[in-house]
Amino acid sequence: MSLNFKNILFIVAIFLLNSLKITAQHQEHYIEEQFISGTDTLNYRVLMPKNFESPNKFPVILFLHGAGERGSDNSRQLIHGSELFYKMKDSFPAIVIFPQCPQNDYWANATIDRNTKPLSLSFPLDSAPTKSMGLVMQLLDDLMNQPYVDKNQVYVGGLSMGGMGTFEILYRKPEVFAAAFAICGAGNPEATKAYAKTVPMWIFHGANDDVVGPQESVDMVSGILKYGGKPNFSLFAKDNHNSWDSAFAEPELMPWLFSNSKSK
């Protein structure tokens, strides 16, 4: 029996839909939550560790998504990174938080010229946090007061806009984090003085990035070195802006992250 073109298209469509469903199944394990402060609301998703009811304290990973995942659906922020943490949940149990930034806001307080390629970016010091960053910091404060959180193992990471947010929250709350990683991000190198010596970092970027130029990460690494830090730095020679694929495939990322503790 021969298949006509419409049947072939139908079979291909069903296959793709099933593939997407299988790929996204891990996202169902991230519980939908909201953090409310006054009249403001921050959507977030949380992956809880196994045996959470035990008397143990658990590390926390805060992950900040990129600009393309902004919105109000409390879902898109899981597109990148959530699979990595889900796959590693047995080896590295932790409370994993994925907040979502609204479409009209930004994690970092940044001035952005979108008429250039790569983007022209600047990050003023001593400026107020954006509304979304302020809510993330409040959520983190609330979480740190919970008895099940290991305050010695709180980590932050992010990509693109979330990489910028990672550098910014380190500047604003340097005393909180045991380690951090930033992928294709940017920031103010002078702000690294607040955390260079105290927060171990792993910075990733693609050498061909034409959205956020690799020089942005090079400058942040230089700032950390200037102020006494010793960061890991991975520059992927063939990557463009999606260097998060290579970063998430780095087998040492999670072991390195969890090897850092403020108690050591």
Side-chain angles (χ1 to χ4, degrees), residues 3-18:
L3 293 173
N4 62 35
F5 183 66
K6 287 185 177 179
N7 287 337
I8 292 173
L9 284 178
F10 178 75
I11 292 171
V12 170
I14 293 298
F15 174 78
L16 290 174
L17 286 172
N18 286 335

Side-chain angles (χ1 to χ4, degrees), residues 123-137:
F123 302 86
L125 295 180
D126 302 320
S127 58
T130 64
K131 180 183 288 188
S132 295
M133 176 55 73
L135 287 170
V136 167
M137 292 192 296

Side-chain angles (χ1 to χ4, degrees), residues 30-50:
Y30 284 80
I31 304 165
E32 292 189 48
E33 297 284 0
Q34 289 186 323
F35 177 77
I36 299 173
S37 176
T39 59
D40 297 320
T41 300
L42 177 73
N43 289 329
Y44 70 98
R45 298 285 284 267
V46 56
L47 178 68
M48 301 302 292
K50 285 185 177 180

Side-chain angles (χ1 to χ4, degrees), residues 11-27:
I11 292 171
V12 170
I14 293 298
F15 174 78
L16 290 174
L17 286 172
N18 286 335
S19 297
L20 288 171
K21 185 177 180 181
I22 292 170
T23 301
Q25 278 182 346
H26 71 275
Q27 297 182 4

Side-chain angles (χ1 to χ4, degrees), residues 112-133:
I112 306 171
D113 183 354
R114 299 186 181 279
N115 295 317
T116 64
K117 194 172 182 180
L119 298 172
S120 178
L121 299 155
S122 62
F123 302 86
L125 295 180
D126 302 320
S127 58
T130 64
K131 180 183 288 188
S132 295
M133 176 55 73

Side-chain angles (χ1 to χ4, degrees), residues 60-93:
V60 170
I61 301 174
L62 172 66
F63 188 82
L64 303 177
H65 63 77
E69 292 74 63
R70 289 176 295 179
S72 58
D73 62 356
N74 207 1
S75 177
R76 286 183 60 81
Q77 74 267 37
L78 297 177
I79 291 175
H80 302 299
S82 62
E83 186 174 9
L84 169 67
F85 299 120
Y86 177 72
K87 286 181 175 179
M88 294 291 185
K89 65 184 179 66
D90 292 336
S91 302
F92 301 99

